[in-house]
């Protein structure tokens, strides 16, 4: 029984050490989202090859949740395919409250603005989640882009459409 107890203790200690160890990331998978995996990985702050462990994976999950684009983010990790690093998988549930959006800034080509936003941050599509974190992400990115393109005014977001929520659109426009 004493030997068995030592084996369990060693196994538990090994699991704790592995969970705390920073090893290179061998692979990152994103599941459950309509957004491209590359966009989620970029937003998480992780990259293949960087040293990471449970703390970094937890922080990446929190970073994704704080974008406002997701209702939940969970992760699991284990030994990667090279057996020298980690394979991490994030399971993401998208925010289901997204509404169509428009950009209405005088003198600005709306399609060019959307294209520039998507290039700067692939999470920024023409459907905006209805929460402050996501909307602020849009506003900040759009204000940076607009200022760099000769439109330095402060922008605001308004709702345009029916009272019952049908055919509603969010509009980014000068404040």
């Amino acid at each position: 029984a004493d030997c068995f107890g030592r084996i369990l203790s060693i196994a538990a200690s090994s699991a704790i050490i592995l969970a705390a160890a920073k090893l290179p990331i061998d692979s990152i998978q994103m599941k459950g989202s309509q957004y491209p995996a590359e966009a989620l990985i970029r937003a998480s702050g992780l990259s293949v090859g960087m040293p990471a462990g449970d703390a970094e994976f937890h922080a990446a999950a929190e970073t994704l949740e704080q974008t406002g684009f997701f209702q939940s983010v969970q992760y699991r990790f284990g030994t990667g395919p090279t057996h020298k690093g980690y394979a991490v998988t994030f399971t993401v549930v998208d925010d289901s409250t997204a509404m169509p959006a428009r950009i209405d800034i005088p003198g600005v080509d709306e399609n060019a603005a959307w294209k520039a936003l998507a290039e700067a941050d692939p999470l920024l599509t023409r459907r905006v989640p209805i929460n402050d974190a996501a909307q602020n992400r849009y506003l900040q990115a759009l204000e940076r882009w607009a200022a760099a393109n000769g439109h330095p005014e402060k922008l605001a977001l308004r709702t345009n459409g029916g009272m019952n929520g049908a055919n509603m659109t969010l509009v980014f426009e000068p404040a």
Side-chain angles (χ1 to χ4, degrees):
D2 188 32
C3 180
F4 181 70
R6 276 186 268 176
I7 291 171
L8 282 178
S9 177
I10 291 169
S13 297
S14 296
I16 291 168
I17 290 168
L18 183 61
K22 285 189 182 184
L23 298 173
I25 298 173
D26 280 346
S27 67
I28 305 170
Q29 281 191 311
M30 297 289 182
K31 295 182 177 181
S33 180
Q34 68 173 349
Y35 296 98
E38 299 79 30
L40 298 175
I41 292 168
R42 182 172 163 187
S44 77
L46 298 176
S47 61
V48 171
M50 75 180 283
D54 187 48
E56 288 76 18
F57 300 140
H58 181 78
E62 283 186 351
T63 297
L64 287 170
E65 281 184 355
Q66 291 170 359
T67 65
F69 287 74
F70 311 106
Q71 290 178 343
S72 71
V73 180
Q74 303 206 359
Y75 67 94
R76 62 181 169 75
F77 66 100
T79 304
T82 67
H83 300 288
K84 295 178 183 176
Y86 291 126
V88 61
T89 300
F90 289 85
T91 302
V92 179
V93 176
D94 293 344
D95 184 302
S96 61
T97 65
M99 293 179 63
R102 289 187 40 243
I103 297 171
D104 187 14
I105 303 171
V108 169
D109 176 355
E110 181 178 17
N111 289 327
W114 281 115
K115 182 179 178 188
L117 286 180
E119 288 171 1
D121 184 343
L123 293 179
L124 303 180
T125 68
R126 292 179 187 238
R127 293 194 58 83
V128 180
I130 308 304
N131 65 67
D132 290 342
Q135 291 173 7
N136 287 335
R137 188 178 182 107
Y138 274 86
L139 280 171
Q140 291 170 4
L142 189 52
E143 284 177 347
R144 281 191 303 272
W145 178 83
N149 288 278
H151 301 277
E153 63 266 13
K154 187 86 173 139
L155 299 177
L157 183 62
R158 74 172 165 86
T159 304
N160 184 20
M163 294 294 285
N164 63 355
N167 301 317
M168 289 183 67
T169 304
L170 299 175
V171 182
F172 294 96
E173 62 186 8

